[in-house]
Amino acid sequence: QSLPEDIRVQSSEEVPFDWHPRKANCTKTYEYQILNRRISLPTERLYAYFCYYPLEVERMRRAAAFLVGEHDFKSFCTAKSNVEDTVRTIYSLDIKRDGDKIVLCISGSGFLYNMVRIIAGTLIRVGRGFYTPEKVKEILEARERTEAGVTAPPEGLVLAEIRYGAQNMQSSEVHCR
C-alpha cells in the first residue's frame, strides 16, 4: 500500500540473506513503444515515443538481428559511463507493429546505462532510412558512442520482466505484449 500508483507487486518470495538482485543470474526484458503516426495521441504521450515520420519495420528487424548474441556494446552505452566491462548478451530483440504502435522487445543478461534507449534511437534511424541495417553491425564493431544514433526519450521505455534462477529463460521463451 506504500508503493506509488504505477508500481504493483505481483508476487514475492523469501531469498537468502546474502542474495542481491543486481548480482543474481537473471534475464531482463524491456519494451520500447513507438507511436508511429502523423498526429500524436495525448493519451499516449507518457507511454510511447511519438515519431511522425514513417518507419520501415522490416529494415529495423534486419538491423536488430546484428545485436542479438554476446557483443561489446560500448557504442550503445552512455559516453560518461565508468563501467569497465561493456560486454553483454542479448537473447532476443523482436520488433512488432500493431497498427500505429511499434514495440521493440529486448531480452538480455543485463544492460548498460541507456543501452535500450540508444538501441531504440539507432533502430529508429534505420527505420527512417538514415542508416542501412548493416550500419548497425559497423556501429557495434566501432565501440564508439558517437557512431550510434541518439538516445531515444524515456517515454515508451518499460522494464517488462525480470526472471531469476529457475524462472530465468532465454530467447524464444520470453514474450512481450
Side-chain angles (χ1 to χ4, degrees):
Q1 87 194 50
S2 299
L3 292 172
E5 286 294 316
D6 53 355
I7 297 177
R8 292 292 176 263
V9 175
Q10 296 181 359
S11 67
S12 67
E13 61 186 74
E14 195 167 335
V15 296
F17 183 74
D18 61 347
W19 186 83
H20 193 285
R22 292 189 68 197
K23 295 177 180 152
N25 180 24
C26 72
T27 298
K28 294 179 183 173
T29 301
Y30 284 92
E31 290 181 5
Y32 193 86
Q33 297 189 28
I34 303 164
L35 183 62
N36 190 214
R37 52 182 282 144
R38 295 191 54 109
I39 299 171
S40 67
L41 295 174
T43 56
E44 292 288 327
R45 69 183 172 80
L46 300 176
Y47 311 107
Y49 166 63
F50 171 65
C51 182
Y52 169 86
Y53 301 100
L55 296 174
E56 294 182 42
V57 173
E58 190 51 44
R59 287 174 52 95
M60 295 169 72
R61 286 184 185 128
R62 289 197 329 260
F66 291 108
L67 300 173
V68 176
E70 183 178 285
H71 303 287
D72 187 335
F73 283 93
K74 188 172 177 90
S75 294
F76 296 93
C77 177
T78 190
K80 297 175 185 170
S81 176
N82 58 2
V83 173
E84 291 180 24
D85 183 14
T86 52
V87 174
R88 298 294 186 271
T89 302
I90 300 298
Y91 301 128
S92 65
L93 202 172
D94 299 320
I95 303 171
K96 300 174 185 172
R97 180 185 280 278
D98 182 15
D100 292 336
K101 192 164 283 183
I102 298 170
V103 180
L104 283 63
C105 180
I106 182 168
S107 295
S109 61
F111 295 89
L112 301 164
Y113 187 71
N114 281 340
M115 181 174 158
V116 175
R117 290 173 49 204
I118 296 167
I119 288 172
T122 303
L123 292 177
I124 289 168
R125 291 192 62 80
V126 170
R128 288 189 59 198
F130 292 118
Y131 295 161
T132 64
E134 296 73 25
K135 173 76 173 167
V136 172
K137 183 179 182 205
E138 295 172 22
I139 293 168
L140 192 61
E141 292 169 351
R143 299 185 66 241
E144 182 64 46
R145 173 62 187 102
T146 57
E147 295 295 312
V150 299
T151 305
E155 294 80 14
L157 181 64
V158 173
L159 175 59
E161 183 176 46
I162 301 175
R163 292 186 182 201
Y164 290 103
Q167 295 178 341
N168 184 8
M169 298 179 197
Q170 298 177 5
S171 95
S172 63
E173 296 183 47
V174 177
H175 302 285
C176 288
R177 295 179 264 171

